Amino acid sequence: MNDCLFCKIIKGDIPSTKIYENEYVYAFLDIEPQAPFHAIIVPKTHISSADEINAQNSIYIAKIFEAVAEIAKAESLSDGYRVVNNCGKDGGQTVGHIHFHLLARRNLAWPPG
Ligand code: 5GP
Ligand code: ZN
């Protein structure tokens, strides 16, 4: 049994607001946005965290960053944006399916704290 929240979202078993999809990648709006634009981009295969990226699955990560560029153009994020991956406990990862936050439309503090 795959009990993964984002696998269920990809399959459509849990509803989401889709903003982008292709063979490798699914992207949807975050349910608790931390910026006026806050999307979550996930690979359509279960990779649990950045720790699990390897030579066999890294094509999915490349496809995620291709999707970032396409979404940024489609959403006119010409003032910039931030891509964030939280990994593990200290990284603040709460969902065990690797995902990248795409945050935009406000000035984002650095360092993030
Ligand atoms: P993490 O903290 O693991 O880096 O990020 C998980 C993100 O998933 C959080 O920003 C959280 O708001 C979002 N999230 C958790 N559950 C759901 C859900 O059911 N639907 C959507 N759209 N986002 C979710
Ligand atoms: Zn999953």
Side-chain angles (χ1 to χ4, degrees):
M1 271 297 282
N2 182 354
D3 211 29
C4 170
L5 174 66
F6 287 169
C7 282
K8 288 178 183 164
I9 285 180
I10 293 162
K11 276 170 54 189
D13 292 348
I14 292 174
S16 65
T17 305
K18 178 172 89 173
I19 59 159
Y20 182 90
E21 183 174 21
N22 66 27
E23 185 188 344
Y24 294 91
V25 168
Y26 187 77
F28 54 99
L29 295 181
D30 197 293
I31 206 168
E32 218 177 292
Q34 302 301 315
F37 182 85
H38 185 172
I40 298 281
I41 308 169
V42 298
K44 282 186 171 178
T45 189
H46 185 84
I47 302 169
S48 50
S49 78
D51 269 345
E52 302 301 321
I53 298 169
N54 56 44
Q56 279 68 51
N57 62 26
S58 60
I59 181 72
Y60 284 91
I61 308 305
K63 293 293 178 185
I64 282 171
F65 278 85
E66 289 178 23
V68 165
E70 288 192 33
I71 295 165
K73 285 184 193 75
E75 297 286 339
S76 304
L77 304 181
S78 50
D79 286 342
Y81 50 85
R82 182 169 296 162
V83 180
V84 174
N85 169 251
N86 296 326
C87 180
K89 180 170 69 70
D90 282 357
Q93 182 176 4
T94 61
V95 178
H97 180 128
I98 193 170
H99 51 281
F100 293 81
H101 300 257
L102 175 55
L103 300 144
R105 298 205 181 111
R106 75 169 166 84
N107 196 272
L108 297 154
W110 190 262

